[in-house]
Amino acid sequence: QVQLVESGGGLVQPGGSLRLSCAASGNIFSIYTMSWYRQAPGKQRELVATITAGGRTNYADSVKGRFTISRENAKNTVFLQMSSLKPEDTANYYCNAHLHAMDHWGKGTLVTVSA
């Protein structure tokens, strides 16, 4: 069982930046596909960004050019660097680890973009 703990959320002004972190337990982190999802109030959870074990990345159109996902396998951590934040980026952000049709989730970290 993989335990995921997100951190780094908070209140930021429009146009600002935040970096989210997700720390994972276990010793096979490097082979997981890691993703960030988000869920805004009253909306469905949506995929934000994914990074494979090999380092390939994919982004939702709404965040391309503004968000960057990365991973540091030696520290069992995946990051989401968010820039040029907009009010519509406000949501709970969740870390996901996927391997062999199994999904593991963190409890989320809240990002609020507001003046």
Side-chain angles (χ1 to χ4, degrees):
Q1 183 76 6
V2 176
Q3 306 293 327
L4 302 172
V5 180
E6 302 97 334
S7 62
L11 174 64
V12 62
Q13 293 187 340
S17 298
L18 278 177
R19 188 172 84 152
L20 305 183
S21 300
C22 172
S25 64
N27 56 7
I28 59 170
F29 172 81
S30 64
I31 67 173
Y32 279 87
T33 291
M34 300 300 298
S35 299
W36 286 97
Y37 286 74
R38 68 185 180 186
Q39 187 167 18
K43 295 188 176 181
Q44 289 190 331
R45 190 171 295 190
E46 64 174 353
L47 177 62
V48 175
T50 295
I51 185 165
T52 68
R56 291 194 307 273
T57 59
N58 191 44
Y59 297 93
D61 287 344
S62 59
V63 307
K64 279 181 182 176
R66 299 188 299 121
F67 290 12
T68 302
I69 189 171
S70 61
R71 65 193 300 161
E72 191 168 346
N73 290 336
K75 295 185 177 181
N76 279 17
T77 303
V78 63
F79 303 98
L80 186 68
Q81 178 67 48
M82 307 185 293
S83 303
S84 302
L85 283 161
K86 306 175 181 180
E88 51 264 43
D89 294 316
T90 295
N92 273 302
Y93 284 71
Y94 297 90
C95 181
N96 171 275
H98 178 84
L99 181 68
H100 300 322
M102 290 286 291
D103 283 290
H104 306 275
W105 294 91
K107 293 184 178 181
T109 185
L110 179 63
V111 173
T112 303
V113 184
S114 175

